[in-house]
Amino acid sequence: MGGDGLIPGSARLHLIDGLPLLRPDEQVFEAMIKGWRNQQLARNLSLGYINDQERTVRAFTRHADAMPWQWTPQHVDEWSADLRAVHGCVRSTLRNYQGSVRQFCDFLTNPAYGWSDECLRHFGTHPVQVVYDWNAATHADEAEGEPERRAFTKPELEAFFDHADEEVLRVRGKGRKGWLQAFRDSALFKVAYAYGLRRNETRMLDLTDFGRNPEGREFGGYGTLLVRYGKAKKGSPPKRRSVLTVWHWTPGTIEEWISEVRPGMRHSTSRALWPSERGPRIGLQRLDSRFAAYRDAAGLDPALEFHSLRRSYITHLIEDGHDPLFVQQQVGHDHASTTAIYTCVSSDFRTRSLRRVLDATIEAALRQGRTS
């Protein structure tokens, strides 16, 4: 509550009492948005989250062609149908959009902020909640991703990286300057896999994010990686985590890129690990386009995406016998169940695991028979 006794999002704080409004619809709506932003800022939510919320509410307003005090559940039904049928939104995206509208309506209908009274005074009606359990997507399953999304098999991953390396040789063999970018892309994909990184986590790495691991001296200055832009919870800042280097080939890949190739980049003075030919840091669209180009050129399954590198990291660590808790901590999951969703172990691995259990059981039984 401010020094004037008004709470951050209240109508009286954002509308001047007693003065006529020249464009009532537009002015009241903008005051509502401003009040909602202030209320969210007071809750210490992140600016990125608040901006996303506002964009969603404005998009819904345009689609409904109606102001908040005129909204009905039917507007939500029509908008949701359009998002699914026309725009192809996945379940989780649709649920997040509906959640933004629900939160805005909760704010408007809260008596503490006074927006219902203001709307009655100006328009003779007031906002109501229009997103209910019966017309909104529910979170029924932890694994809401598209079922075709999966990890690379080890042969597929080898083919992908081989093609990336061959692309560097091909471009350089033709005397083209683009071999620097091709080398960067190859190294970037390998580092994303080597540490189980998401797209933006990979993109936002800096040269100073690597460090030593006292228990892994063989990795030199690349024993740990500080991930500073991990996936945030709603309204929270990016989540940090430290990832330990696992595979012995990783330091050589990073060192070659940083010491021998990166200095030739146009924006090599940037602190970013992956500078672009046009700016100090590579863009997300570039990551997606190059990944898709390499995947298709290698003749791999179109269902594989950049995030498949992270799935592969988790899967291959589990298959190599690493402790599940260690893997969970490496990738920054709060719950083991989330890591389990990402794990796509092969049938061969499951067969070997069963064989080990059966052999151990038989051995224990035989040992007990000999001692009895």
Side-chain angles (χ1 to χ4, degrees):
M1 186 173 292
D4 51 8
L6 300 176
I7 55 178
S10 66
R12 285 182 56 205
L13 187 64
H14 300 282
L15 289 172
I16 302 176
D17 288 337
L19 292 181
L21 300 178
L22 299 178
R23 300 181 303 280
D25 286 20
E26 178 182 335
Q27 288 175 270
V28 171
F29 176 67
E30 291 300 326
M32 286 175 167
I33 292 290
K34 185 176 180 180
W36 192 38
R37 286 186 65 89
N38 282 12
Q39 183 247 22
Q40 293 179 93
L41 287 169
R43 292 162 56 197
N44 201 32
L45 301 181
S46 69
L47 284 175
Y49 177 73
I50 295 172
N51 291 336
D52 288 343
Q53 294 274 80
E54 179 181 337
R55 278 193 293 269
T56 300
V57 167
R58 289 186 182 277
F60 175 66
T61 305
R62 289 192 297 270
H63 188 277
D65 195 22
M67 288 299 180
W69 49 92
Q70 301 166 328
W71 290 349
T72 67
Q74 184 179 353
H75 288 129
V76 177
D77 296 344
E78 294 171 351
W79 180 57
S80 300
D82 184 67
L83 289 173
R84 287 297 303 276
V86 178
H87 298 281
C89 284
V90 298
R91 296 175 183 84
S92 57
T93 301
L94 177 63
R95 193 182 64 251
N96 289 336
Y97 286 170
Q98 292 170 340
S100 297
V101 175
R102 188 200 299 262
Q103 290 178 50
F104 184 58
C105 290
D106 283 341
F107 163 72
L108 295 181
T109 56
N110 189 327
Y113 297 104
W115 289 107
S116 293
D117 293 338
E118 286 296 332
C119 289
L120 281 171
R121 185 157 67 92
H122 290 289
F123 312 113
T125 185
H126 60 84
V128 296
Q129 179 59 262
V130 294
V131 183
Y132 300 93
D133 290 343
W134 47 263
N135 71 336
T138 58
H139 194 176
D141 195 339
E142 286 186 86
E144 289 191 319
E146 298 302 311
E148 65 271 15
R149 302 304 183 193
R150 61 175 179 84
F152 284 86
T153 64
K154 288 185 177 180
E156 285 176 332
L157 191 66
E158 185 177 350
F160 181 82
F161 287 152
D162 284 347
H163 175 78
D165 291 339
E166 291 165 2
E167 186 68 7
V168 178
L169 297 176
R170 184 187 68 81
V171 176
R172 191 172 189 179
K174 292 185 176 181
R176 295 180 181 176
K177 187 179 178 181
W179 77 269
L180 294 171
Q181 288 77 40
F183 194 105
R184 176 204 59 203
D185 295 341
S186 176
L188 182 151
F189 293 138
K190 292 174 183 176
V191 167
Y193 167 70
Y195 293 99
L197 304 178
R198 301 177 178 91
R199 284 188 316 160
N200 197 54
E201 291 174 350
T202 306
R203 172 181 176 267
M204 296 303 295
L205 291 178
D206 284 349
L207 293 169
T208 55
D209 289 335
F210 294 100
R212 294 182 178 275
N213 176 6
E215 302 299 326
R217 299 182 184 278
E218 63 269 32
F219 298 122
Y222 303 102
T224 64
L225 174 66
L226 176 62
V227 178
R228 294 174 295 107
Y229 286 86
K231 184 178 180 180
K233 295 181 180 179
K234 285 187 177 181
S236 300
K239 184 179 178 182
R240 294 190 176 207
R241 73 178 185 277
S242 181
V243 187
L244 301 180
T245 304
V246 175
W247 291 302
H248 288 82
W249 55 264
T250 305
T253 299
I254 301 169
E255 177 63 28
E256 185 179 12
W257 161 245
I258 292 178
S259 300
E260 300 180 25
V261 182
R262 188 183 177 281
M265 296 288 290
R266 178 181 176 185
H267 293 279
S268 61
T269 56
S270 163
R271 70 175 187 274
L273 181 61
W274 315 112
S276 167
E277 57 271 28
R278 294 186 178 89
R281 195 180 298 275
I282 193 171
L284 290 175
Q285 186 176 1
R286 170 73 181 191
L287 297 185
D288 287 338
S289 63
R290 295 313 300 162
F291 180 92
Y294 287 6
R295 176 201 63 205
D296 295 343
L300 299 175
D301 187 347
L304 295 169
E305 55 180 348
F306 191 99
H307 207 70
S308 295
L309 296 170
R310 178 172 166 85
R311 296 188 186 97
S312 303
Y313 173 80
I314 296 171
T315 298
H316 297 163
L317 285 183
I318 294 295
E319 289 187 338
D320 289 345
H322 288 271
D323 185 271
L325 178 59
F326 170 77
V327 178
Q328 177 188 338
Q329 293 172 340
Q330 286 280 93
V331 296
H333 287 157
D334 291 332
H335 307 288
S337 58
T338 307
T339 308
I341 291 169
Y342 276 70
T343 306
C344 312
V345 295
S346 65
S347 58
D348 182 55
F349 170 77
R350 292 194 296 271
T351 302
R352 293 197 309 270
S353 298
L354 176 61
R355 185 70 264 165
R356 285 196 299 269
V357 172
L358 292 175
D359 289 344
T361 303
I362 293 171
E363 183 180 349
L366 291 174
R367 188 164 53 248
Q368 184 178 5
R370 287 194 296 266
T371 58
S372 61

